[in-house]
Amino acid sequence: MKLPYAEPFRIKMVEEIYQSTQEQREEWLKNANYNLFNLRSSHVFIDLLTDSGTGAMSDKQWGALMIGDESYAGSRSFDALQQTVENITGFPYLLPTHQGRAAENVLFSVLVKEGDVVPGNSHFDTTKGHIEFRKAHAIDCTIDEAFDINDLHPFKGNLDLEKLEAVYRSHPKEQIPFCLITITCNSSGGQPVSLENIKAVKELSDQYGIPVLFDSARFAENAYFIKKREKGQQHKTIKEICKELFSYGDGMTMSSKKDGLVNIGGFIALKNREIFEQASNFTIIYEGFITYGGMAGRDMSALAAGLDEATEFPYLESRISQVEYLGNKLMEAGIPVQKPIGGHAVFIDALNFLPNIKREEFPAQTLAIELYKEAGIRGVEIGTLLADRDPETRENRYPKLELLRLAIPRRTYTNNHMDYVAAAVKNVFERRNDITKGYKIKREPAILRHFTVQLDRA
Ligand SMILES: *Cc1c(COP(=O)(O)O)cnc(C)c1O
């Protein structure tokens, strides 16, 4: 008999979670102004809000934490992190930051100015925020297949080279500080970018003299998909794939809360010494001295260990097969999800799930609220609230997809939890025709509204 798959770890510490009643949850929702970011975590049974900083650390990481070096400058923890990052990426110049958006803030302070354009594949929300805050524009060059949730393209995070070249042709070089490749592509569903596409983007960008940077929060998951799906890559190790992938770029920003397997942290890694020196000045004003940048020494040690673990195949296989497990359960029940299932989350197509809710009443947010009400599960809207308003016209931007994201924290929940989630989604699906009213905005901030927007029943 062929043995079934089993996780390559066992559990050393557990945390209790509590189930509430539907009545309690309705009350809490109202108090939270129907924004799930405003809920207390103790009011959530299974928290799939994000996979960012919510995973479990290994015994090796906890061990590394104990031997962290808290020296202000030149700590052993920094050296360990710098060595690990250079081994994995090939980038010699490292600037730690307190998280990914801080890395964006520091690096974009050097590179992005008013009127610039930054082409890429569906920029992440904070990334776009940091570009638009500087009165520059993010231009989405993702392939069209990414926006058809039933298209089985294996690399839906890929950039469309024609769209990219059109940007390069229509703007002077001085207005394009870099091309940004997000791996995996979060906003289009945790979808990977192929090595072939990365290489082609690099070649095209070289022709126009434009640097290539990576927004690399889930680079290891991206490398796993390359190994599994791309021709000629099966025999390579994850670390070999990472090394090649990063060789086609000039630098990276990183949110260590994802594939760094830690709860907080980020960094910039660069090929070029001059940009590193300029960015160092901004690190010192915004983050801290250049060998800690807002991180404790112990956290840098845990991060070094985490990066090493995240780039090993058995870990990635357990991680991504759990996400697939949930996705398959939902598909079997006929629930419209984005295919293929992405690396860190399952995305439910809310326009198909709740056809009775008008676009301007936020179908994906409505679905998120219904799922919380049903079973105490917290997901997140990846739709019109997240897409925010056009910075010039202030009109709502309606994205092509209106999704509910169920992000799976790393090494945190069991497949029984996944079964529970699948059953709850099915229950909501069965009563979908009774859900006819969505939500309207009561109050919203000027940018990044989805975090703090206040809603009311429409
Ligand atoms: C999470 C994330 C960021 C921002 O990182 P934080 O650590 O949350 O500040 C940037 N880009 C991508 C692709 C991300 O997933």
Side-chain angles (χ1 to χ4, degrees):
M1 181 175 161
K2 186 173 180 287
L3 295 175
Y5 178 78
E7 292 78 6
F9 58 82
R10 55 183 177 180
I11 294 166
K12 223 173 214 177
M13 188 189 280
V14 294
E15 176 186 358
E16 268 184 79
I17 49 178
Y18 298 95
Q19 252 172 324
S20 48
T21 66
Q22 183 151 344
E23 219 173 24
Q24 286 176 310
R25 292 194 288 271
E26 283 182 13
E27 180 68 22
W28 293 331
L29 267 171
K30 212 164 106 210
N31 295 339
N33 290 301
Y34 301 98
N35 182 340
L36 304 187
F37 283 102
N38 288 334
L39 290 173
R40 315 313 309 156
S41 68
S42 55
H43 295 167
V44 176
F45 182 53
I46 297 182
D47 205 347
L48 307 184
L49 181 70
T50 175
D51 63 322
S52 180
T54 52
M57 293 208 296
S58 68
D59 54 351
K60 285 189 197 136
Q61 289 181 281
W62 283 104
L65 214 70
M66 292 306 294
I67 53 170
D69 174 359
E70 304 304 335
S71 304
Y72 192 93
S75 70
R76 286 189 312 274
S77 297
F78 174 80
D79 291 342
L81 180 58
Q82 190 278 326
Q83 270 299 313
T84 305
V85 171
E86 188 168 355
N87 285 346
I88 292 172
T89 67
F91 297 133
Y93 298 110
L94 175 73
L95 287 169
T97 60
H98 78 275
Q99 57 183 90
R101 69 199 68 188
E104 290 163 358
N105 186 33
V106 167
L107 190 59
F108 295 2
S109 293
V110 177
L111 298 177
V112 180
K113 59 182 192 315
E114 185 170 344
D116 281 355
V117 296
V118 179
N121 52 339
S122 302
H123 308 64
F124 184 67
D125 59 346
T126 62
T127 317
K128 200 173 199 164
H130 272 296
I131 292 168
E132 290 177 350
F133 182 72
R134 291 173 171 79
K135 299 196 164 60
H137 299 274
I139 302 182
D140 189 2
C141 298
T142 314
I143 56 170
D144 292 333
E145 287 89 332
F147 305 104
D148 174 357
I149 68 156
N150 291 314
D151 193 308
L152 288 174
H153 194 295
F155 292 101
K156 282 168 113 172
N158 280 0
L159 282 87
D160 183 322
L161 297 172
E162 282 175 23
K163 290 185 195 171
L164 182 61
E165 188 156 23
V167 176
Y168 288 169
R169 278 171 192 263
S170 56
H171 297 83
K173 187 181 144 188
E174 298 68 37
Q175 241 176 52
I176 315 173
F178 52 86
C179 170
L180 189 65
I181 309 180
T182 303
I183 49 176
T184 56
C185 188
N186 191 341
S187 312
S188 83
Q191 299 291 333
V193 183
S194 72
L195 206 50
E196 188 188 13
N197 188 250
I198 292 170
K199 197 171 168 185
V201 167
K202 172 67 177 159
E203 280 166 10
L204 180 66
S205 304
D206 277 351
Q207 283 172 32
Y208 288 85
I210 311 290
V212 172
L213 297 181
F214 292 101
D215 182 356
S216 32
R218 300 180 184 81
F219 73 94
E221 293 175 5
N222 200 102
Y224 174 86
F225 284 119
I226 289 173
K227 182 177 168 77
K228 293 288 275 194
R229 295 180 184 171
E230 194 161 346
K231 236 177 73 199
Q233 302 301 326
Q234 282 68 32
H235 63 284
K236 290 195 195 147
T237 66
I238 297 292
K239 285 192 167 69
E240 285 166 347
I241 293 171
C242 291
K243 199 60 159 285
E244 178 173 351
L245 178 166
F246 285 115
S247 76
Y248 302 124
D250 299 282
M252 66 192 281
T253 55
M254 177 71 186
S255 169
S256 306
K257 305 170 73 172
K258 284 64 169 246
D259 281 350
L261 302 183
V262 292
N263 302 115
I264 195 77
F267 61 83
I268 300 164
L270 297 164
K271 215 177 239 177
N272 179 297
R273 180 163 185 101
E274 210 175 303
I275 298 171
F276 163 76
E277 282 171 0
Q278 289 173 285
S280 296
N281 295 328
F282 289 102
T283 298
I284 290 169
I285 24 178
Y286 290 135
E287 296 294 303
F289 184 64
I290 57 172
T291 63
Y292 75 87
M295 291 186 75
R298 64 180 83 97
D299 287 341
M300 290 191 284
S301 292
L303 172 56
L307 287 167
D308 198 46
E309 287 173 21
T311 47
E312 289 296 327
F313 184 79
Y315 156 73
L316 284 165
E317 187 178 37
S318 72
R319 157 75 176 150
I320 290 178
S321 62
Q322 182 173 55
V323 178
E324 232 172 22
Y325 177 85
L326 174 61
N328 288 340
K329 288 246 149 180
L330 296 182
M331 278 193 265
E332 282 160 23
I335 289 155
V337 296
Q338 183 174 47
K339 297 181 217 51
I341 303 298
H344 64 288
V346 176
F347 293 74
I348 301 176
D349 173 7
L351 292 179
N352 265 308
F353 195 113
L354 293 179
N356 299 329
I357 306 292
K358 289 184 273 203
R359 235 27 234 279
E360 55 275 25
E361 291 183 6
F362 310 110
Q365 181 67 15
T366 305
L367 181 54
I369 290 166
E370 289 300 326
L371 184 61
Y372 173 72
K373 241 194 270 179
E374 176 71 29
I377 298 161
R378 173 158 69 170
V380 73
E381 189 249 25
I382 304 281
T384 306
L385 284 176
L386 176 68
D388 224 311
R389 293 178 189 276
D390 184 284
E392 270 141 37
T393 67
R394 300 304 297 158
E395 291 295 322
N396 272 323
R397 285 191 283 216
Y398 290 104
K400 296 191 184 91
L401 298 176
E402 185 80 30
L403 303 167
L404 171 64
R405 184 184 77 178
L406 303 176
I408 315 299
R410 295 168 178 79
R411 312 190 281 206
T412 302
Y413 291 111
T414 67
N415 283 4
N416 281 337
H417 292 115
M418 299 301 118
D419 289 342
Y420 177 95
V421 172
V425 175
K426 262 195 277 191
N427 286 351
V428 178
F429 195 56
E430 274 159 19
R431 61 179 173 81
R432 66 190 180 280
N433 290 329
D434 305 333
I435 304 169
T436 53
K437 274 205 171 310
Y439 293 82
K440 57 174 193 250
I441 291 178
K442 208 158 73 176
R443 266 186 91 157
E444 68 180 290
I447 55 165
L448 296 177
R449 68 177 176 185
H450 74 132
F451 290 119
T452 54
V453 68
Q454 298 183 3
L455 302 168
D456 224 333
R457 288 180 203 275

PDB file of all heavy atoms in Angstrom, residues 52 99-102 104 124 126-127 182 184 186 215 217-218 255-258 265, ligand 1:
ATOM      1  N   SER A  52       0.457  36.580   7.221  1.00  0.00           N
ATOM      2  CA  SER A  52       1.583  37.481   7.464  1.00  0.00           C
ATOM      3  C   SER A  52       1.919  37.565   8.942  1.00  0.00           C
ATOM      4  O   SER A  52       1.170  38.167   9.719  1.00  0.00           O
ATOM      5  CB  SER A  52       1.219  38.873   6.940  1.00  0.00           C
ATOM      6  OG  SER A  52       2.289  39.757   7.162  1.00  0.00           O
ATOM      7  N   GLN A  99       9.503  45.784   8.868  1.00  0.00           N
ATOM      8  CA  GLN A  99       8.691  44.855   8.077  1.00  0.00           C
ATOM      9  C   GLN A  99       8.790  45.211   6.609  1.00  0.00           C
ATOM     10  O   GLN A  99       9.585  46.075   6.228  1.00  0.00           O
ATOM     11  CB  GLN A  99       7.263  44.730   8.594  1.00  0.00           C
ATOM     12  CG  GLN A  99       6.445  45.996   8.704  1.00  0.00           C
ATOM     13  CD  GLN A  99       5.058  45.688   9.306  1.00  0.00           C
ATOM     14  OE1 GLN A  99       4.894  45.721  10.503  1.00  0.00           O
ATOM     15  NE2 GLN A  99       4.070  45.403   8.453  1.00  0.00           N
ATOM     16  N   GLY A 100       7.991  44.548   5.757  1.00  0.00           N
ATOM     17  CA  GLY A 100       8.146  44.709   4.315  1.00  0.00           C
ATOM     18  C   GLY A 100       7.877  46.116   3.817  1.00  0.00           C
ATOM     19  O   GLY A 100       8.601  46.662   2.980  1.00  0.00           O
ATOM     20  N   ARG A 101       6.828  46.735   4.345  1.00  0.00           N
ATOM     21  CA  ARG A 101       6.487  48.085   3.862  1.00  0.00           C
ATOM     22  C   ARG A 101       7.544  49.095   4.252  1.00  0.00           C
ATOM     23  O   ARG A 101       7.706  50.121   3.594  1.00  0.00           O
ATOM     24  CB  ARG A 101       5.093  48.485   4.360  1.00  0.00           C
ATOM     25  CG  ARG A 101       4.989  48.715   5.833  1.00  0.00           C
ATOM     26  CD  ARG A 101       3.557  48.643   6.296  1.00  0.00           C
ATOM     27  NE  ARG A 101       3.038  47.278   6.172  1.00  0.00           N
ATOM     28  CZ  ARG A 101       1.759  46.956   6.354  1.00  0.00           C
ATOM     29  NH1 ARG A 101       0.875  47.873   6.662  1.00  0.00           N
ATOM     30  NH2 ARG A 101       1.368  45.717   6.221  1.00  0.00           N
ATOM     31  N   ALA A 102       8.266  48.828   5.327  1.00  0.00           N
ATOM     32  CA  ALA A 102       9.356  49.713   5.731  1.00  0.00           C
ATOM     33  C   ALA A 102      10.514  49.581   4.735  1.00  0.00           C
ATOM     34  O   ALA A 102      11.179  50.568   4.402  1.00  0.00           O
ATOM     35  CB  ALA A 102       9.823  49.367   7.136  1.00  0.00           C
ATOM     36  N   GLU A 104      10.051  48.943   1.631  1.00  0.00           N
ATOM     37  CA  GLU A 104       9.566  49.735   0.485  1.00  0.00           C
ATOM     38  C   GLU A 104       9.796  51.221   0.740  1.00  0.00           C
ATOM     39  O   GLU A 104      10.281  51.950  -0.130  1.00  0.00           O
ATOM     40  CB  GLU A 104       8.059  49.489   0.285  1.00  0.00           C
ATOM     41  CG  GLU A 104       7.746  48.097  -0.222  1.00  0.00           C
ATOM     42  CD  GLU A 104       6.271  47.709  -0.037  1.00  0.00           C
ATOM     43  OE1 GLU A 104       5.489  48.496   0.525  1.00  0.00           O
ATOM     44  OE2 GLU A 104       5.916  46.594  -0.474  1.00  0.00           O
ATOM     45  N   PHE A 124       1.369  44.887  -4.820  1.00  0.00           N
ATOM     46  CA  PHE A 124       0.739  44.694  -3.509  1.00  0.00           C
ATOM     47  C   PHE A 124       0.233  46.040  -2.981  1.00  0.00           C
ATOM     48  O   PHE A 124       0.722  47.095  -3.375  1.00  0.00           O
ATOM     49  CB  PHE A 124       1.774  44.091  -2.560  1.00  0.00           C
ATOM     50  CG  PHE A 124       1.220  43.765  -1.207  1.00  0.00           C
ATOM     51  CD1 PHE A 124       0.273  42.766  -1.060  1.00  0.00           C
ATOM     52  CD2 PHE A 124       1.644  44.457  -0.085  1.00  0.00           C
ATOM     53  CE1 PHE A 124      -0.244  42.470   0.196  1.00  0.00           C
ATOM     54  CE2 PHE A 124       1.140  44.155   1.174  1.00  0.00           C
ATOM     55  CZ  PHE A 124       0.195  43.160   1.314  1.00  0.00           C
ATOM     56  N   THR A 126       0.420  47.812  -0.095  1.00  0.00           N
ATOM     57  CA  THR A 126       1.333  48.784   0.545  1.00  0.00           C
ATOM     58  C   THR A 126       2.373  49.289  -0.462  1.00  0.00           C
ATOM     59  O   THR A 126       2.831  50.425  -0.387  1.00  0.00           O
ATOM     60  CB  THR A 126       2.084  48.184   1.753  1.00  0.00           C
ATOM     61  OG1 THR A 126       2.908  47.100   1.308  1.00  0.00           O
ATOM     62  CG2 THR A 126       1.138  47.694   2.827  1.00  0.00           C
ATOM     63  N   THR A 127       2.723  48.422  -1.387  1.00  0.00           N
ATOM     64  CA  THR A 127       3.704  48.790  -2.417  1.00  0.00           C
ATOM     65  C   THR A 127       3.128  49.898  -3.290  1.00  0.00           C
ATOM     66  O   THR A 127       3.769  50.928  -3.534  1.00  0.00           O
ATOM     67  CB  THR A 127       4.025  47.559  -3.295  1.00  0.00           C
ATOM     68  OG1 THR A 127       4.169  46.422  -2.458  1.00  0.00           O
ATOM     69  CG2 THR A 127       5.275  47.777  -4.100  1.00  0.00           C
ATOM     70  N   THR A 182       6.590  40.813  -8.413  1.00  0.00           N
ATOM     71  CA  THR A 182       6.123  40.326  -7.118  1.00  0.00           C
ATOM     72  C   THR A 182       6.017  38.803  -7.166  1.00  0.00           C
ATOM     73  O   THR A 182       5.326  38.245  -8.029  1.00  0.00           O
ATOM     74  CB  THR A 182       4.761  40.947  -6.778  1.00  0.00           C
ATOM     75  OG1 THR A 182       4.897  42.373  -6.812  1.00  0.00           O
ATOM     76  CG2 THR A 182       4.296  40.545  -5.391  1.00  0.00           C
ATOM     77  N   THR A 184       5.413  35.283  -4.745  1.00  0.00           N
ATOM     78  CA  THR A 184       4.365  35.079  -5.727  1.00  0.00           C
ATOM     79  C   THR A 184       3.498  36.331  -5.807  1.00  0.00           C
ATOM     80  O   THR A 184       3.582  37.196  -4.950  1.00  0.00           O
ATOM     81  CB  THR A 184       3.426  33.907  -5.306  1.00  0.00           C
ATOM     82  OG1 THR A 184       2.917  34.201  -3.996  1.00  0.00           O
ATOM     83  CG2 THR A 184       4.157  32.579  -5.231  1.00  0.00           C
ATOM     84  N   ASN A 186       0.710  38.287  -5.067  1.00  0.00           N
ATOM     85  CA  ASN A 186      -0.308  38.263  -4.007  1.00  0.00           C
ATOM     86  C   ASN A 186      -1.656  38.720  -4.538  1.00  0.00           C
ATOM     87  O   ASN A 186      -2.669  38.030  -4.424  1.00  0.00           O
ATOM     88  CB  ASN A 186       0.169  39.196  -2.892  1.00  0.00           C
ATOM     89  CG  ASN A 186      -0.649  39.068  -1.624  1.00  0.00           C
ATOM     90  OD1 ASN A 186      -1.758  38.559  -1.650  1.00  0.00           O
ATOM     91  ND2 ASN A 186      -0.116  39.521  -0.524  1.00  0.00           N
ATOM     92  N   ASP A 215       9.644  42.082  -5.321  1.00  0.00           N
ATOM     93  CA  ASP A 215       8.882  42.169  -4.084  1.00  0.00           C
ATOM     94  C   ASP A 215       8.712  40.704  -3.689  1.00  0.00           C
ATOM     95  O   ASP A 215       7.899  39.986  -4.254  1.00  0.00           O
ATOM     96  CB  ASP A 215       7.543  42.859  -4.349  1.00  0.00           C
ATOM     97  CG  ASP A 215       6.723  43.008  -3.072  1.00  0.00           C
ATOM     98  OD1 ASP A 215       7.166  42.516  -2.018  1.00  0.00           O
ATOM     99  OD2 ASP A 215       5.637  43.607  -3.146  1.00  0.00           O
ATOM    100  N   ALA A 217       8.111  38.655  -0.868  1.00  0.00           N
ATOM    101  CA  ALA A 217       7.544  38.095   0.362  1.00  0.00           C
ATOM    102  C   ALA A 217       7.400  36.565   0.317  1.00  0.00           C
ATOM    103  O   ALA A 217       7.704  35.883   1.288  1.00  0.00           O
ATOM    104  CB  ALA A 217       6.182  38.739   0.640  1.00  0.00           C
ATOM    105  N   ARG A 218       6.949  36.021  -0.811  1.00  0.00           N
ATOM    106  CA  ARG A 218       6.717  34.568  -0.891  1.00  0.00           C
ATOM    107  C   ARG A 218       7.590  33.922  -1.966  1.00  0.00           C
ATOM    108  O   ARG A 218       7.142  33.098  -2.750  1.00  0.00           O
ATOM    109  CB  ARG A 218       5.221  34.296  -1.125  1.00  0.00           C
ATOM    110  CG  ARG A 218       4.354  34.843   0.000  1.00  0.00           C
ATOM    111  CD  ARG A 218       2.884  34.592  -0.195  1.00  0.00           C
ATOM    112  NE  ARG A 218       2.091  35.214   0.858  1.00  0.00           N
ATOM    113  CZ  ARG A 218       1.752  36.513   0.868  1.00  0.00           C
ATOM    114  NH1 ARG A 218       2.106  37.312  -0.125  1.00  0.00           N
ATOM    115  NH2 ARG A 218       1.059  37.003   1.872  1.00  0.00           N
ATOM    116  N   SER A 255       9.188  41.019   2.969  1.00  0.00           N
ATOM    117  CA  SER A 255       8.413  40.961   4.192  1.00  0.00           C
ATOM    118  C   SER A 255       8.734  39.626   4.851  1.00  0.00           C
ATOM    119  O   SER A 255       8.273  38.582   4.397  1.00  0.00           O
ATOM    120  CB  SER A 255       6.919  41.050   3.892  1.00  0.00           C
ATOM    121  OG  SER A 255       6.193  40.729   5.060  1.00  0.00           O
ATOM    122  N   SER A 256       9.516  39.658   5.904  1.00  0.00           N
ATOM    123  CA  SER A 256       9.958  38.414   6.551  1.00  0.00           C
ATOM    124  C   SER A 256       8.821  37.685   7.246  1.00  0.00           C
ATOM    125  O   SER A 256       8.959  36.547   7.677  1.00  0.00           O
ATOM    126  CB  SER A 256      11.058  38.714   7.563  1.00  0.00           C
ATOM    127  OG  SER A 256      12.091  39.434   6.942  1.00  0.00           O
ATOM    128  N   LYS A 257       7.666  38.360   7.346  1.00  0.00           N
ATOM    129  CA  LYS A 257       6.496  37.780   7.995  1.00  0.00           C
ATOM    130  C   LYS A 257       5.865  36.684   7.144  1.00  0.00           C
ATOM    131  O   LYS A 257       4.972  35.990   7.602  1.00  0.00           O
ATOM    132  CB  LYS A 257       5.459  38.878   8.249  1.00  0.00           C
ATOM    133  CG  LYS A 257       6.040  40.035   9.050  1.00  0.00           C
ATOM    134  CD  LYS A 257       5.109  41.220   9.112  1.00  0.00           C
ATOM    135  CE  LYS A 257       3.956  40.917  10.041  1.00  0.00           C
ATOM    136  NZ  LYS A 257       3.136  42.133  10.269  1.00  0.00           N
ATOM    137  N   LYS A 258       6.297  36.562   5.919  1.00  0.00           N
ATOM    138  CA  LYS A 258       5.804  35.474   5.074  1.00  0.00           C
ATOM    139  C   LYS A 258       6.871  34.383   5.021  1.00  0.00           C
ATOM    140  O   LYS A 258       7.021  33.646   5.979  1.00  0.00           O
ATOM    141  CB  LYS A 258       5.476  36.000   3.668  1.00  0.00           C
ATOM    142  CG  LYS A 258       4.184  36.803   3.533  1.00  0.00           C
ATOM    143  CD  LYS A 258       4.150  38.081   4.288  1.00  0.00           C
ATOM    144  CE  LYS A 258       2.992  38.965   3.942  1.00  0.00           C
ATOM    145  NZ  LYS A 258       3.372  40.209   3.299  1.00  0.00           N
ATOM    146  N   GLY A 265       9.274  41.533  10.801  1.00  0.00           N
ATOM    147  CA  GLY A 265      10.586  41.799  10.192  1.00  0.00           C
ATOM    148  C   GLY A 265      10.516  41.956   8.692  1.00  0.00           C
ATOM    149  O   GLY A 265       9.527  41.593   8.053  1.00  0.00           O
TER     150      GLY A 265
HETATM  151  C1  LIG B   1       3.120  41.523   2.996  1.00  0.00           C
HETATM  152  C2  LIG B   1       3.617  42.064   1.752  1.00  0.00           C
HETATM  153  C3  LIG B   1       4.230  43.329   1.697  1.00  0.00           C
HETATM  154  C4  LIG B   1       4.329  44.238   2.898  1.00  0.00           C
HETATM  155  O1  LIG B   1       5.003  43.651   3.944  1.00  0.00           O
HETATM  156  P1  LIG B   1       4.654  43.925   5.482  1.00  0.00           P
HETATM  157  O2  LIG B   1       5.639  43.095   6.204  1.00  0.00           O
HETATM  158  O3  LIG B   1       3.241  43.522   5.705  1.00  0.00           O
HETATM  159  O4  LIG B   1       4.860  45.381   5.715  1.00  0.00           O
HETATM  160  C5  LIG B   1       4.702  43.754   0.477  1.00  0.00           C
HETATM  161  N1  LIG B   1       4.570  43.017  -0.628  1.00  0.00           N
HETATM  162  C6  LIG B   1       4.001  41.795  -0.613  1.00  0.00           C
HETATM  163  C7  LIG B   1       3.894  40.998  -1.862  1.00  0.00           C
HETATM  164  C8  LIG B   1       3.496  41.277   0.567  1.00  0.00           C
HETATM  165  O5  LIG B   1       2.899  40.087   0.570  1.00  0.00           O
END
